[in-house]
Amino acid sequence: MPVIKTRGVIKDYPLASGWFRALHGVDLDIRGGEYVAVMGHSGSGKSTFMNILGCLDRCNEGSYWLNSHEVGRLSGDELARLRNQTLGFVFQGFNLLPRMTLTENVALPLVYAGIAKPERFRRARELLEKVGLARHVDAFPTKISGGQQQRVAIARALVNRPRVILADEPTGNLDSRTSDDIMSIFRQLHEEGITIVLVTHESDVAEHASRQVYFRDGRILSDQATLRAEDVPC
Ligand code: ADP
Ligand code: MG
């Protein structure tokens, strides 16, 4: 069973004039340990689909299985638990809480998991160290750069030890050098066996992934393994 499986996923948004269909029946399987880049023009439905995968939104029709659980059949509590245990989400805009230190930001998801404060802070500091921010554990998000804020957001996404990281244009607000640093963190996570689904506009970012899925107008246009220079016959 894949870690992510969708069948016939349809998403309609209400408009003043009626309904807008943002996803037209999306079928996708992602196996544990895959690194998938989701690509496509602006407005093609990438974020809509990611929000459904992240259980931040529900589809109108179709089914979604996360780690073999059919999301649409779970109660609110069951869904919150599954999401906490399975998923980490990284956004383009970092979404850190400005009045909390980096340690407190990273530790926050563990409050909902019912873990005691010393253990929360120990795990948060360990992850901040992993993403290269050991010196800033007590800093506030406003005092660090955008690239560093995104590292904090990645650490926060990892704190529940999820199987899957979903990232929606995580390098969209970063310059290319900082973006390379962030991509090397995702590559390391992939090597550690974490499943990664990452939305990007940039083909050089997508080349880090082993599979590329293109959306167009709310449908999957293509789904193929990443071609690497060494795989192309001369
Ligand atoms: P992408 O992430 O690929 O740029 P989105 O998933 O954000 O695309 O949007 C897909 C389509 O759905 C777009 O046409 C967008 O305008 C529309 N859309 C997204 N969110 C909403 C919303 N909350 N209400 C109405 N339309 C929306
Ligand atoms: Mg988007």
Side-chain angles (χ1 to χ4, degrees):
M1 185 80 175
V3 65
I4 282 173
K5 172 174 169 175
T6 72
R7 287 294 177 273
V9 163
I10 288 177
K11 178 67 190 178
D12 293 324
Y13 288 118
L15 298 179
S17 53
W19 292 87
F20 174 76
R21 182 151 292 184
L23 295 174
H24 290 260
V26 176
D27 300 340
L28 189 68
D29 287 356
I30 297 176
R31 293 184 308 281
E34 277 199 282
Y35 186 169
V36 180
V38 173
M39 305 190 72
H41 292 301
S42 180
S44 56
K46 305 182 298 296
S47 294
T48 299
F49 188 61
M50 292 295 277
N51 290 342
I52 290 170
L53 295 188
C55 309
L56 306 172
D57 200 0
R58 285 178 183 260
C59 52
N60 298 83
E61 284 178 48
S63 305
Y64 169 32
W65 291 263
L66 173 61
N67 222 3
S68 303
H69 300 275
E70 190 172 356
V71 165
R73 293 184 186 274
L74 301 179
S75 69
D77 282 353
E78 289 169 332
L79 181 58
R81 203 170 321 121
L82 175 67
R83 189 174 54 201
N84 252 328
Q85 290 169 350
T86 317
L87 293 175
F89 211 114
V90 179
F91 302 89
Q92 181 174 1
F94 321 138
N95 294 11
L96 302 176
L97 297 171
R99 288 183 213 283
M100 286 191 174
T101 64
L102 303 195
T103 301
E104 288 165 341
N105 266 282
V106 173
L108 192 58
L110 296 176
V111 173
Y112 309 117
I115 291 169
K117 189 167 175 177
E119 172 66 6
R120 293 202 300 265
F121 277 32
R122 192 193 64 72
R123 266 206 237 170
R125 293 210 170 98
E126 188 179 292
L127 283 163
L128 284 165
E129 203 169 305
K130 182 183 169 93
V131 298
L133 291 172
R135 288 194 308 123
H136 301 275
V137 291
D138 295 320
F140 287 90
T142 46
K143 302 289 181 204
I144 58 174
S145 70
Q148 289 173 324
Q149 290 183 50
Q150 194 56 300
R151 287 162 185 263
V152 178
I154 293 171
R156 182 184 54 191
L158 289 170
V159 79
N160 276 321
R161 305 189 178 123
R163 277 193 80 184
V164 180
I165 294 281
L166 302 171
D168 194 349
E169 304 204 39
T171 62
N173 283 340
L174 304 175
D175 63 66
S176 60
R177 242 192 68 203
T178 312
S179 165
D180 287 346
D181 291 344
I182 296 294
M183 293 315 296
S184 68
I185 297 177
F186 282 110
R187 192 163 44 213
Q188 188 193 334
L189 297 175
H190 170 57
E191 281 162 11
E192 291 170 12
I194 295 180
T195 309
I196 298 176
V197 187
L198 179 146
V199 175
T200 182
H201 277 304
E202 296 151 75
S203 53
D204 54 334
V205 170
E207 274 165 19
H208 289 264
S210 40
R211 176 175 167 198
Q212 301 186 357
V213 174
Y214 281 80
F215 275 73
R216 184 195 277 171
D217 298 335
R219 294 184 170 85
I220 292 180
L221 178 69
S222 71
D223 179 353
Q224 56 199 21
T226 303
L227 263 188
R228 303 193 184 282
E230 59 267 29
D231 301 332
V232 179
C234 25

